Amino acid sequence: ATDLANQIEIVRAQIVNLDKVMNDAEIMKPARELETKLVDLQQNLVELRATGRGQDGVRFGARLLSKIGYLANGLASADFRPTNQQLEVQKILRDEVRRHQNSLSAIVGKELKALNELMRGRGVPNIVVRAPGSSQ
């Protein structure tokens, strides 16, 4: 789930930087639409509106990464094997991660591919998606 959030963030950063270096409405319109889709997907994983101060925990519900962290902390502090309820929550969260991975794959395979083809046609470098788990 963390790799998924990082992949989204890397693509979004490239789109934001693209907006700073070019003034081509035909490229920027689909780029901004792609960024909106990525923000919507990323918002399921992490709370993007969090300020890091005050009442964030009250204002905004826990997102997927927070839920996984909460479950992991509970399991790490236990002396016994996971309860049936914890195992069920793990399966639910795993399925949710897979669903979001599939959503990102669909976005990358369709919208990002089309944007990259448009950019290549104008001599602009591609937006790159980092492979999950890679450090580069």
Side-chain angles (χ1 to χ4, degrees):
T2 302
D3 282 341
L4 187 61
N6 288 337
Q7 285 179 301
I8 294 169
E9 192 63 28
I10 287 169
V11 173
R12 286 185 55 219
Q14 291 175 77
I15 292 171
V16 168
N17 288 325
L18 183 65
D19 195 20
K20 293 176 183 176
V21 296
M22 73 177 339
N23 191 15
D24 187 335
E26 281 188 56
I27 290 177
M28 291 316 302
K29 183 177 187 281
R32 287 185 189 106
E33 291 170 0
L34 174 59
E35 184 187 13
T36 299
K37 289 182 181 184
L38 292 170
V39 167
D40 291 343
L41 180 57
Q42 190 177 16
Q43 186 68 23
N44 293 308
L45 301 169
V46 293
E47 181 52 66
L48 298 175
R49 300 171 295 180
T51 62
R53 303 180 62 199
Q55 300 292 316
D56 284 346
V58 176
R59 288 186 190 110
F60 311 115
R63 301 298 181 181
L64 183 57
L65 282 170
S66 295
K67 292 175 184 179
I68 291 170
Y70 184 84
L71 178 63
N73 284 336
L75 294 172
S77 65
D79 290 334
F80 303 100
R81 70 175 216 76
T83 65
N84 292 338
Q85 294 85 353
Q86 289 170 322
L87 292 171
E88 182 63 27
V89 168
Q90 185 270 333
K91 289 177 187 173
I92 291 168
L93 296 178
R94 181 192 61 215
D95 291 345
E96 199 170 327
V97 169
R98 285 185 182 150
R99 184 170 52 84
H100 295 309
Q101 285 172 326
N102 291 337
S103 295
L104 180 60
S105 293
I107 290 170
V108 166
K110 185 177 179 186
E111 284 91 352
L112 182 57
K113 182 179 178 183
L115 178 61
N116 277 338
E117 288 173 4
L118 176 63
M119 291 169 54
R120 261 193 306 276
R122 297 188 184 246
V124 179
N126 286 342
I127 294 175
V128 179
V129 179
R130 181 179 69 108
S134 71
S135 60
Q136 297 178 352

